[in-house]
Amino acid sequence: KETPMTAYIWQSANLTEAVKDLNPTFHSDFTQTSTRIITDTRKIEQGDIFLAIQGDNFDGHDYVKTAKDKGAVLAIVSRAVESDLPQLVVTDTKLALGKLGAYRRDQHPNLKVVAITGSSGKTTAKEMLGSILNRIAPTLITRGNLNNDLGVPMMLLELTDDHRYAVMELGANHLGEIAYTTQLVKPDVACVLNIGTAHLGEFGGRDNIAKTKSEIFQGLSDTGTAIVPFGDDYFDTLLNNAQQFTQNILTFGERDVSLADAGVDMQQAKEIGLTDEDTVLLMGDVFADDVEVGNTSTFSLNFNFDIDEIESQNVTLNFAGEHNISNALAAAACAQALGLSIDDIAKGLDAAKPAKGRLNFIEFGRHTLIDDTYNANPSAVIAATQVLVSQGAPTLLVLGDIGELGDAAQEEHRKLGEAIAASGVTVLYTVGELTPVTVAQAQASGMQAQAYPDKATLLAAIKDKLTSSDDAWHILFKGSRYMRMEQIIDELTRQPF
C-alpha cells in the first residue's frame, strides 16, 4: 500500500508572497489553509482554492458562487465579484497561476526536474523517463496534455515535499511559450527530442520550430545539462542554442557525417580509395546497437562517456517502432544526467508501458488493431506506418486529418500520400477535409486508397473489408486529436461481427 504524499499547505502569507508582483489584495480576511488550487469548478472539493481564469470562450469569475457552493474556501480573481467567499484580487489570474506554480517549485530546492520537448515523442519519452525515476523515488510526471502555459503550472501545483523528481513535458503552439514555462520549472536537465513538422502552421517553418524548442534551454543554470538529438538535421542549431546557457551537453542517437567533418585526413583517405562523398557513422554519448524492432523491441543501451570503454546494458522495450528506440535513448540520457546507473536505467526502460492511444495493440478476432490515435503530425504518421508494415501484409491504414499545419496543410497531406504509397501499406482509408489530397496522391502512385465523407461510412467500409476477406489484417488508426479516431475503434470493437 502506497504511503500518502504530504500535501503542501497554502495560507495567506505564502499566497501573497507568491503573487507579490501582481498587487495582491484580500477582499476579505482569509484565515483558513488549503492544499489544492483548482481552476475548474467541476473538480472543486471541500477546502480547495478556486483560481478564476478568463479564456476566449469562458470567464471563471462567473463561477465563483459555484466554487463556494462546492466547498471552496478562497477565490483568486482579477476583479472582485459579489460573493461572501473570501477573495484574493490580483492584476492577472493567468500570470498568478504561473507565479504560484513557480513558487511551489522554488519551495522544493532538492527536487530534480527534467523538462522534455520536441515535435513528436514527448509523451512517450516522458513515460519512459517516469518509469526509470519512479523506481528510485517518488516522481511527478506531467499528466495528459498539461504541457502548455496553463497546464505546466497546474502540474507544479501538484508537487509534494515527498517528490524527489519531476518530469515535465513542455509543448508550444507559439514562439515564447516554452521560454515562459521553462522559467517556471527551472529544469536541471532540458531535453529536445527532435525537430519535425508539428504545429508547422503556427510557426511558419522548421527553423522557427527549432528556435521555439530551443527555448527550453533558457531555464537551465550553467550547472544544468542539455540533452540534444545527435542524428537530427537541426542538431547543430540545437547545440549552439544550448551552449548559450550551459556547457554540459549530452547527445543521444547517431549520425552520418562526411569524412572531413569527422576529422579524417582526406589525403590519406583518398589514397585508400575513399572520396569526399563517403561518410562515417558517429555515435552520440548515448546510443543503441544490436537493435531488433517488433511489437516489442530489444537493443543494447550504450553509454559512450569513457574514452577507453563503452558501458552497455541490454533492454527489452514494450514499445513498437524504431522511433521509440530514439525516445528510450533520450530518456536514458536524461536519467544519466541525474546520476542514475545504466543498470537502473535499463530496468526502468524494461518496465515502461505505452500510454493509451500510443501504438497500443488490440487483438480483434483474427485481426490486429493498432491504436495510435492520441495525436498526429506528418513525421509521427510515417513512423507509425513503418510499425504497421512491419506486422506483415495485408495492412490497412485508417487516417484522419492532421491539423495545425497552416498554409502547408495541403502540401503536407499530399506528401503523406506519396510516402504512404511507397511504404508498402496495402490499403489506405481516410476521413476528413484534408485527407482526400492524401488519397489522390496515393492513388496516383498506384496504391489502393479511398476517402470517406464521415466516420460512419468509413466504419462500414472497414467492416466490409474485414468480413469479405479470409486474411488476418493489421489495421493502424491515426489522426490529430480533434479527429478523435479512437471513436472508430470503439465502435468497431463494441460487438463482434
Side-chain angles (χ1 to χ4, degrees):
K1 185 177 180 180
E2 293 187 3
T3 303
M5 295 287 191
T6 305
Y8 184 74
I9 298 175
W10 293 100
Q11 50 197 339
S12 61
N14 54 7
L15 286 169
T16 51
E17 175 66 19
V19 298
K20 61 185 179 183
D21 298 332
L22 300 176
N23 299 322
T25 304
F26 278 99
H27 191 58
S28 58
D29 288 341
F30 176 59
T31 58
Q32 300 193 54
T33 62
S34 179
T35 58
R36 293 208 316 167
I37 299 174
I38 301 294
T39 61
D40 187 343
T41 52
R42 293 171 297 183
K43 299 177 181 177
I44 289 283
E45 297 176 2
Q46 183 67 41
D48 289 344
I49 294 171
F50 172 57
L51 190 146
I53 295 288
Q54 183 170 349
D56 294 334
N57 302 309
F58 66 91
D59 187 348
H61 295 77
D62 297 336
Y63 297 92
V64 170
K65 182 181 184 303
T66 303
K68 180 181 185 300
D69 292 343
K70 296 189 71 172
V73 294
L74 175 71
I76 300 175
V77 295
S78 59
R79 64 179 187 274
V81 301
E82 187 175 340
S83 172
D84 57 357
L85 179 66
Q87 297 168 51
L88 175 58
V89 183
V90 295
T91 54
D92 187 317
T93 52
K94 185 175 179 181
L95 290 179
L97 177 62
K99 289 183 177 295
L100 288 161
Y103 182 87
R104 180 65 197 99
R105 191 265 182 267
D106 290 343
Q107 300 310 301
H108 203 338
N110 296 323
L111 182 76
K112 295 297 182 183
V113 179
V114 179
I116 296 176
T117 193
S119 294
S120 60
K122 294 185 292 296
T123 298
T124 298
K126 171 194 70 180
E127 294 298 326
M128 289 177 175
L129 181 57
S131 177
I132 295 168
L133 297 178
N134 253 327
R135 294 187 67 256
I136 309 301
T139 303
L140 179 70
I141 306 169
T142 296
R143 280 197 324 281
N145 60 353
L146 293 175
N147 63 7
N148 61 8
D149 53 0
L150 293 178
V152 170
M154 287 177 187
M155 287 305 308
L156 290 173
L157 289 173
E158 296 187 17
L159 280 170
T160 72
D161 288 339
D162 299 299
H163 286 118
R164 274 185 51 197
Y165 300 108
V167 181
M168 308 301 294
E169 178 184 332
L170 305 188
N173 56 25
H174 60 266
L175 285 165
E177 186 168 9
I178 291 176
Y180 172 68
T181 54
T182 193
Q183 296 294 343
L184 302 183
V185 305
K186 297 181 178 64
D188 299 279
V189 179
C191 173
V192 177
L193 298 171
N194 46 54
I195 303 300
T197 54
H199 300 285
L200 191 62
E202 285 87 343
F203 295 113
R206 291 183 70 213
D207 287 352
N208 280 340
I209 293 175
K211 180 180 179 181
T212 298
K213 301 303 182 185
S214 294
E215 291 172 0
I216 197 170
F217 303 129
Q218 297 177 22
L220 291 170
S221 70
D222 56 7
T223 60
T225 302
I227 311 292
V228 290
F230 197 48
D232 197 277
D233 51 2
Y234 277 84
F235 169 73
D236 291 334
T237 299
L238 295 171
L239 179 63
N240 290 335
N241 290 337
Q243 287 173 335
Q244 296 178 37
F245 302 96
T246 181
Q247 294 304 304
N248 302 320
I249 312 287
L250 293 184
T251 63
F252 65 93
E254 58 190 36
R255 68 188 310 203
D256 280 312
V257 299
S258 68
L259 296 180
D261 288 342
V264 174
D265 185 320
M266 290 308 299
Q267 184 62 39
Q268 294 182 1
K270 289 175 181 178
E271 289 175 1
I272 60 173
L274 297 175
T275 71
D276 292 338
E277 295 181 357
D278 286 311
T279 61
V280 62
L281 185 66
L282 296 183
M283 302 300 183
D285 297 315
V286 178
F287 69 93
D289 59 14
D290 300 326
V291 175
E292 295 187 12
V293 177
N295 294 359
T296 59
S297 303
T298 61
F299 65 97
S300 173
L301 172 65
N302 302 289
F303 285 176
N304 192 19
F305 302 111
D306 191 325
I307 194 169
D308 297 319
E309 183 180 2
I310 293 176
E311 196 174 5
S312 300
Q313 188 62 258
N314 292 328
V315 172
T316 299
L317 203 61
N318 296 303
F319 295 76
E322 191 168 349
H323 61 295
N324 279 323
I325 303 292
S326 179
N327 291 329
L329 296 178
C334 291
Q336 198 282 335
L338 293 176
L340 273 69
S341 71
I342 193 170
D343 289 344
D344 281 330
I345 292 169
K347 289 174 182 175
L349 289 174
D350 286 344
K353 303 291 184 185
K356 181 174 173 57
R358 300 288 193 177
L359 288 175
N360 303 140
F361 284 72
I362 303 167
E363 296 304 318
F364 181 59
R366 65 179 182 275
H367 311 294
T368 302
L369 313 181
I370 306 175
D371 179 359
D372 200 37
T373 59
Y374 182 83
N375 211 342
N377 60 64
S379 299
V381 172
I382 298 304
T385 297
Q386 292 171 350
V387 174
L388 173 64
V389 171
S390 72
Q391 304 303 307
T395 52
L396 169 61
L397 171 57
V398 181
L399 181 66
D401 283 351
I402 298 172
E404 300 173 322
L405 294 173
D407 293 340
Q410 293 285 325
E411 177 60 13
E412 288 293 326
H413 279 81
R414 186 201 65 77
K415 288 193 294 187
L416 263 183
E418 191 172 28
I420 292 167
S423 70
V425 171
T426 312
V427 180
L428 169 66
Y429 285 172
T430 75
V431 65
E433 297 179 1
L434 293 166
T435 50
V437 177
T438 308
V439 166
Q441 181 60 54
Q443 290 172 339
S445 301
M447 182 182 186
Q448 182 183 342
Q450 182 64 50
Y452 293 92
D454 53 57
K455 290 179 182 175
T457 311
L458 171 57
L459 177 63
I462 296 170
K463 288 182 176 181
D464 183 63
K465 174 66 71 176
L466 299 185
T467 54
S468 63
S469 172
D470 293 329
D471 294 318
W473 284 78
H474 298 94
I475 311 168
L476 169 67
F477 297 82
K478 189 76 174 166
S480 274
R481 182 86 302 269
Y482 73 91
M483 291 297 296
R484 299 188 62 82
M485 297 297 286
E486 69 275 9
Q487 292 175 341
I488 303 173
I489 299 176
D490 293 342
E491 288 295 326
L492 183 64
T493 57
R494 192 176 302 278
Q495 53 187 8
F497 57 89

